[in-house]
Amino acid sequence: MASGPSFTGYQRAKKTRFSVRAGDVLSRFFITVGGIGTIIAVSTVAVFLLWVAFPLLKPALIGDQQEVRTPVRTDKPLRIAMDEYQLSGWALYGDGELVSFRLDTGEVLERRRLFDQSVITASSFSLARGGLRVLLGFGDGSAAFGSIVYRTRFINAADAPAELDGMEVGLSARFDTAMVERISPTQFRVTQLEARFDEPLSVATGTLESAAGVKGTVGQADSDQSAAPADTADGLEPAAEAPNPVLLVDHLDSDSDRVFAAFTADGTLGIHRQRARENLLTGEVTYRTTSIPLPYEPLDGQGQPKFLKLSGLGDSVMLAWENGHLVRFNTRDFSSPSIEERVDLLEDSTLRLTALEYLLGRTTLLAGDSSGRVRAWFPANVETGGRAGRLKNRMVPAHTFPGEGSPVACIGSSQRIRTMGVGYGDGRLDLFHVTSHKLLGRLREGAGDEPVQAVAFAPKDDGLMALTRGGILHWEVDPLHPESTFRALFTRVWYEGAAEPQHVWQSSSGTDDFEPKFGMMPLIFGTLKATLFSLFLGVPIALFAAIFTSEFLNSTVRSRVKPAVELMASLPSVVLGFLAALVFAPVVADHLVVFLVSFVTIPVSFLFGARVWQLLPQQFTLRHHRWRFPSMFLGLPLGALLAFLLAPAVEWICFAGDVMRWLDGQIGEAGGGWLALFFPLACFGAAWGTSRVFGDLVRRVSMNWSRQRCALFDLARFAAVGLGALLLAAAAAWLASALGFDPRGGLIDTYVQRNALVVGFVMGFAIIPIIYTISEDALTAVPEHLRSASLGAGATPWQTATRVIVPTAMSGLFSAVMIGLGRAVGETMIVLMAAGNTPLMEWNVFNGFRTLSANIAVELPEAVRDSTHYRTLFLTALVLFAMTFVLNTIAEIIRMRFRKKAFEL
């Protein structure tokens, strides 16, 4: 019978060992699976981001050269183009012949003489809605508007001619003068070239006669003054008797408005505007014309100008000579044009200007010269010296593409993106993206005696055509993502209209000729700015609160305070962002000085309250010690009240009575701002300095003092440190102001309602709970014998906390800070709603920013799948992933070192 209980106990112990062993095995299994699964999940995310972003680095896809050794004509055409399906093309020549041909065989589809007995002496081509608009100038002083476009129509197989019945799907063939392609068993697509021109109008000195009988008078003017424009709508004036050939033209054309500039052989340069009027009853369209001469001055010994260009807004007319000299006329004020500037496009007297074309948008000029170099020029507001801050609109050479010795023969510009095709005198043909300076490909090596006569892009940018004396060249092209290079993504880029290279993120706009800007540095900068400001405000509060809770509060109060702080983490970030944007930001904007002063008055109120508590009798403090913690919070309303009372005086002394205007630089001097900035730093410096210099002396002298006397001395020292800090800040402010430094323009500048200060405060509030909780757990986990040994050796609780507890728990504290940093780096909703969402690169605490995460949240839903924008957003996600990975890796290395030192204690 005695063995029964022993056997039962043995069985129970055996079951216990089995359950423990089973629990260990299961725990090890699930922990291993969970760890491996986490690694796989994180790696999968990284691989997916890399897979989506990797095509940004791929080179452009260029098909094999298709060459037809059947020249259309051997002379150089005025313009070439092809249809959007790349089946046929056309070329316009100086004698007025328009030739349409097949791209695959070179077979001529049609030859058409546009004008009888008229020689084209000038031509201009402008893309507009509905196709290519044309303005041609003639030797008799007249000009004609028109259009050359491809018209596409679809016909059913049942209605198609019998000759097309046997055509297979996907094949194309000639039908009369058109190209026909079978796109399905039941349908054909017919592409037909159509050219329409108005009756020529006279562009001569004194007259401008339109096809509808509407004319305007061109005023006569000297070279240094211009005549007022004249508007006429009735009557005809006789044309000039002697022929006055139109040498140069350029134009902008739309359905309701025409603007064109013309230069004639007699040296007359004028700009003309025509506004369409349609008779609603008859449908007849007439034009009301306004004309004005420009103050043109011939260049001595340079002959006639070679190029005439009209900007995309019609506000500038540019006249260029072969030696590279360019005169830009300002026509923004149409009634009073003037010479804006003179520019040397070549900056080398040995070179000659061989090609001058507009890039997409008609703002950037592409100037090719006899050395093979191409330079991109556009107007920008630049400082011209003289009075400080004076800006003038001047042409700047933003991009340079070096040549290889052979002159530039022609330049073709894409209709969709900022890409150019450059043909050279030796037959070489290169494809460039202008903004990113990327060579997309060399389509043709030099052939020696066959210069490229003309280059044209397909309307969809999926093909390129060139003409030489030997025939037709054609390539299928897919530029992929030419805007995305390492240089364009991470370094400064000179964007159109900017005075210098910049970091810019601007992925979309309301115009088709928009220049995408995918500079990621403003987003990375905004992420770091948000993180630093939130950590600057959140980390000290969280760490000191954790130290206070762990080391100075009794267990009863701590058990209530810690859960209350942890409840702060339950607030959704979208709620915090909403409160920050719609509640907190307006309040701070209305009471900015109060808020800034409270950063000083509230800590001072808490410190003052601590010293007042020391002045109370010891018996009273011991009897009512449980009220010590609640009484601390009296410093908060006291500090806020002091801030409200002191704010008007501070604003008057430091900010000339209006902080908003002072920040904007409209009023006030720099000294007051320096005083406000230096005072908090001076407080810390004075407190640290007095402690280091007089700390030992005060301890020796005060060893025999009473508690009351020590408290009075501590209060007096507190007041003296505050007064000394004020004097130190005033001296530093005077010195900085005397040296000419101004705090505005750096850390502080123009105030924007949604700014980094608001985000830092609210996001600091969001990261406080997680940093506080982990830090408090790390401090509490320090072995009790270390704390007891320190206190037993005579150290005060504060000395024990700072010299024993904190160093021991440093690995945990550092982990808490890094987890808070990760929370701040990845925060989306708060910065999205409260930061203004502006991708700027400035440290101004009163301005906004845009972070990587917020940018992804805003733009990814609207990005076109697989577009450059779409893939760049995934690249920003990959950069964010890499940033957090690197930071966490560094943090783990530092944490392990702290942990190793803690074990050595």
Side-chain angles (χ1 to χ4, degrees):
M1 298 295 294
S3 62
S6 300
F7 180 76
T8 304
Y10 171 76
Q11 291 288 87
R12 188 180 297 112
K14 185 177 180 180
K15 290 182 179 179
T16 301
R17 288 195 299 272
F18 176 78
S19 61
V20 170
R21 189 178 295 111
D24 289 342
V25 172
L26 290 176
S27 299
R28 188 180 300 110
F29 173 77
F30 285 114
I31 290 173
T32 302
V33 171
I36 295 175
T38 301
I39 295 173
I40 292 175
V42 173
S43 301
T44 303
V45 171
V47 170
F48 176 74
L49 294 176
L50 185 61
W51 177 71
V52 177
F54 180 75
L56 292 174
L57 305 178
K58 288 184 177 180
L61 300 178
I62 301 175
D64 295 334
Q65 176 179 310
Q66 301 175 16
E67 184 173 4
V68 179
R69 301 301 294 182
T70 305
V72 179
R73 286 175 49 166
T74 57
D75 53 331
K76 184 175 181 179
L78 301 176
R79 178 84 175 200
I80 63 172
M82 57 180 162
D83 68 85
E84 61 179 322
Y85 307 107
Q86 303 184 51
L87 300 176
S88 61
W90 60 262
L92 178 63
Y93 292 88
D95 59 0
E97 184 180 42
L98 179 65
V99 182
S100 176
F101 51 86
R102 294 183 60 168
L103 285 181
D104 54 353
T105 64
E107 177 187 2
V108 175
L109 301 176
E110 180 185 12
R111 292 183 183 270
R112 186 188 315 177
R113 181 75 62 175
L114 297 179
F115 304 96
D116 294 333
Q117 298 179 353
S118 295
V119 177
I120 300 174
T121 56
S123 61
S124 169
F125 303 88
S126 174
L127 287 173
R129 187 176 62 181
L132 186 68
R133 305 295 178 90
V134 184
L135 176 61
L136 301 177
F138 304 103
D140 61 357
S142 63
F145 282 98
S147 63
I148 304 177
V149 297
Y150 278 101
R151 302 294 184 188
T152 302
R153 58 189 176 92
F154 299 88
I155 57 176
N156 295 324
D159 302 328
E163 296 92 328
L164 303 178
D165 289 343
M167 183 183 296
E168 297 181 5
V169 176
L171 295 182
S172 60
R174 173 181 180 176
F175 183 75
D176 196 10
T177 61
M179 288 296 295
V180 179
E181 182 179 12
R182 188 158 197 165
I183 58 177
S184 73
T186 60
Q187 199 172 48
F188 293 89
R189 180 176 59 221
V190 181
T191 305
Q192 176 76 51
L193 182 63
E194 180 181 283
R196 294 183 178 179
F197 281 85
D198 298 338
E199 289 296 324
L201 54 84
S202 177
V203 182
T205 306
T207 63
L208 177 64
E209 182 179 345
S210 72
V214 181
K215 74 171 108 175
T217 301
V218 180
Q220 300 287 343
D222 295 331
S223 61
D224 59 346
Q225 63 181 12
S226 60
D231 294 343
T232 62
D234 299 296
L236 297 175
E237 295 183 9
E241 296 181 359
N244 187 18
V246 179
L247 300 183
L248 299 170
V249 292
D250 199 11
H251 81 293
L252 305 171
D253 198 352
S254 65
D255 295 334
S256 60
D257 193 8
R258 293 172 174 173
V259 180
F260 69 97
F263 179 80
T264 56
D266 64 352
T268 300
L269 175 64
I271 183 170
H272 317 276
R273 293 191 177 185
Q274 292 185 326
R275 294 190 179 276
R277 287 184 174 184
E278 182 178 0
N279 190 316
L280 299 180
L281 296 178
T282 64
E284 181 184 5
V285 178
T286 59
Y287 289 91
R288 185 176 186 88
T289 305
T290 306
S291 304
I292 195 71
L294 299 179
Y296 163 72
E297 298 178 358
L299 290 183
D300 294 338
Q302 298 300 326
Q304 300 284 21
K306 188 176 181 180
F307 302 97
L308 175 64
K309 296 298 175 182
L310 180 63
S311 66
L313 298 177
D315 57 355
S316 293
V317 175
M318 282 165 275
L319 205 60
W321 282 258
E322 192 176 12
N323 66 350
H325 185 79
L326 179 141
V327 179
R328 184 161 70 102
F329 300 90
N330 186 347
T331 57
R332 189 183 302 272
D333 183 0
F334 195 71
S335 63
S336 181
S338 61
I339 295 178
E340 180 74 15
E341 64 172 324
R342 300 178 185 272
V343 183
D344 186 359
L345 297 177
L346 302 180
E347 299 176 344
D348 186 344
S349 59
T350 63
L351 301 179
R352 288 295 176 263
L353 188 64
T354 57
L356 189 66
E357 297 292 339
Y358 265 123
L359 192 63
L360 175 68
R362 298 181 69 90
T363 298
T364 299
L365 274 176
L366 303 173
D369 59 40
S370 55
S371 70
R373 180 185 62 177
V374 178
R375 306 180 79 188
W377 295 74
F378 53 72
N381 291 326
V382 297
E383 294 186 4
T384 57
R387 190 173 60 184
R390 186 175 180 83
L391 300 177
K392 285 190 176 181
N393 193 259
R394 292 291 181 261
M395 298 287 288
V396 294
H399 307 281
T400 300
F401 301 87
E404 298 182 8
S406 181
V408 175
C410 59
I411 299 176
S413 176
S414 166
Q415 304 175 24
R416 289 175 174 247
I417 58 177
R418 308 183 77 79
T419 303
M420 65 174 179
V422 183
Y424 299 90
D426 61 357
R428 194 172 77 255
L429 182 59
D430 290 338
L431 188 62
F432 297 97
H433 187 266
V434 176
T435 303
S436 62
H437 271 260
K438 185 176 183 180
L439 174 62
L440 302 182
R442 174 156 292 177
L443 282 70
R444 186 171 187 253
E445 295 292 343
D449 59 345
E450 287 192 3
V452 179
Q453 295 177 332
V455 177
F457 284 83
K460 294 181 179 179
D461 258 9
D462 54 354
L464 192 73
M465 177 179 68
L467 286 189
T468 67
R469 288 196 300 264
I472 305 168
L473 307 174
H474 176 232
W475 297 265
E476 291 185 356
V477 176
D478 185 355
L480 292 180
H481 310 286
E483 304 92 345
S484 60
T485 62
F486 181 86
R487 176 181 178 275
L489 293 171
F490 297 103
T491 64
R492 297 179 184 272
V493 177
W494 205 333
Y495 295 107
E496 190 174 82
E500 59 185 8
Q502 298 175 342
H503 291 292
V504 182
W505 174 276
Q506 186 182 1
S507 59
S508 61
S509 180
T511 59
D512 294 335
D513 56 6
F514 167 67
E515 181 178 26
K517 305 171 181 65
F518 294 122
M520 294 178 60
M521 292 306 297
L523 306 180
I524 298 174
F525 179 86
T527 302
L528 297 177
K529 183 178 179 181
T531 302
L532 291 177
F533 277 104
S534 60
L535 292 178
F536 178 76
L537 294 172
V539 169
I541 296 175
L543 291 182
F544 282 115
I547 294 171
F548 181 79
T549 304
S550 173
E551 303 302 318
F552 298 96
L553 279 184
N554 60 60
S555 58
T556 303
V557 179
R558 183 167 62 245
S559 64
R560 297 176 181 176
V561 170
K562 186 177 180 182
V565 175
E566 291 173 345
L567 280 176
M568 293 166 53
S570 64
L571 286 175
S573 59
V574 66
V575 174
L576 293 176
F578 173 81
L579 294 174
L582 300 182
V583 178
F584 190 64
V587 171
V588 173
D590 293 337
H591 305 90
L592 178 59
V593 180
V594 175
F595 186 76
L596 295 177
V597 174
S598 66
F599 275 100
V600 176
T601 57
I602 290 178
V604 168
S605 298
F606 275 104
L607 295 174
F608 178 76
R611 282 155 178 78
V612 170
W613 183 267
Q614 291 181 139
L615 287 174
L616 298 176
Q618 187 174 11
Q619 295 298 326
F620 178 85
T621 57
L622 292 175
R623 188 180 303 113
H624 299 90
H625 67 90
R626 64 181 180 275
W627 297 104
R628 180 182 179 183
F629 180 70
S631 65
M632 291 173 55
F633 291 95
L634 295 177
L636 184 62
L638 178 60
L641 178 62
L642 285 174
F644 271 101
L645 295 177
L646 295 176
V650 172
E651 186 170 17
W652 180 259
I653 295 172
C654 297
F655 308 115
D658 190 336
V659 65
M660 296 298 180
R661 295 179 62 198
W662 184 88
L663 288 171
D664 203 31
Q666 300 180 31
I667 59 173
E669 301 295 335
W674 284 123
L675 178 62
L677 286 175
F678 285 148
F679 182 68
L681 299 176
C683 288
F684 286 107
W688 179 82
T690 55
S691 175
R692 295 286 295 178
V693 175
F694 302 106
D696 293 338
L697 177 63
V698 170
R699 280 190 291 272
R700 289 196 302 268
V701 173
S702 63
M703 289 181 60
N704 298 321
W705 287 359
S706 64
R707 180 178 183 274
Q708 192 74 10
R709 186 176 179 183
C710 288
L712 288 172
F713 177 80
D714 197 24
L715 181 62
R717 183 174 62 175
F718 178 71
V721 167
L723 180 61
L726 182 61
L727 296 175
L728 180 62
W734 176 85
L735 180 61
S737 181
L739 293 176
F741 296 111
D742 196 324
R744 291 167 290 189
L747 188 62
I748 59 176
D749 208 337
T750 303
Y751 188 88
V752 179
Q753 188 180 87
R754 299 185 182 185
N755 53 54
L757 180 65
V758 174
V759 173
F761 186 83
V762 176
M763 201 152 72
F765 180 85
I767 66 175
I768 282 175
I770 189 169
I771 298 177
Y772 167 82
T773 299
I774 299 175
S775 299
E776 205 276 340
D777 290 340
L779 293 168
T780 305
V782 174
E784 188 63 29
H785 66 269
L786 294 178
R787 187 179 289 104
S788 300
S790 176
L791 294 173
T796 64
W798 175 250
Q799 290 172 331
T800 300
T802 57
R803 300 183 184 182
V804 177
I805 306 302
V806 170
T808 305
M810 184 58 71
S811 63
L813 299 179
F814 189 79
S815 297
V817 173
M818 294 310 298
I819 292 175
L821 183 146
R823 168 79 165 84
V825 168
E827 177 56 48
T828 301
M829 294 310 300
I830 294 177
V831 295
L832 179 63
M833 302 175 70
N837 215 22
T838 51
L840 302 174
M841 289 190 66
E842 57 179 46
W843 285 108
N844 181 15
V845 70
F846 299 127
N847 205 347
F849 50 85
R850 179 182 289 190
T851 64
L852 290 165
S853 57
N855 187 68
I856 295 170
V858 170
E859 299 192 4
L860 189 58
E862 305 297 330
V864 177
R865 184 178 178 85
D866 295 334
S867 64
T868 303
H869 182 205
Y870 176 85
R871 296 188 185 278
T872 304
L873 290 175
F874 274 86
L875 180 61
T876 62
L878 184 63
V879 170
L880 183 60
F881 182 92
M883 287 175 58
T884 55
F885 181 81
V886 171
L887 289 174
N888 288 332
T889 302
I890 296 174
E892 183 63 18
I893 294 173
I894 297 175
R895 189 188 71 84
M896 293 301 294
R897 291 191 176 185
F898 282 137
R899 189 175 182 182
K900 182 179 179 181
K901 288 184 178 180
F903 280 131
E904 294 175 354
L905 293 177

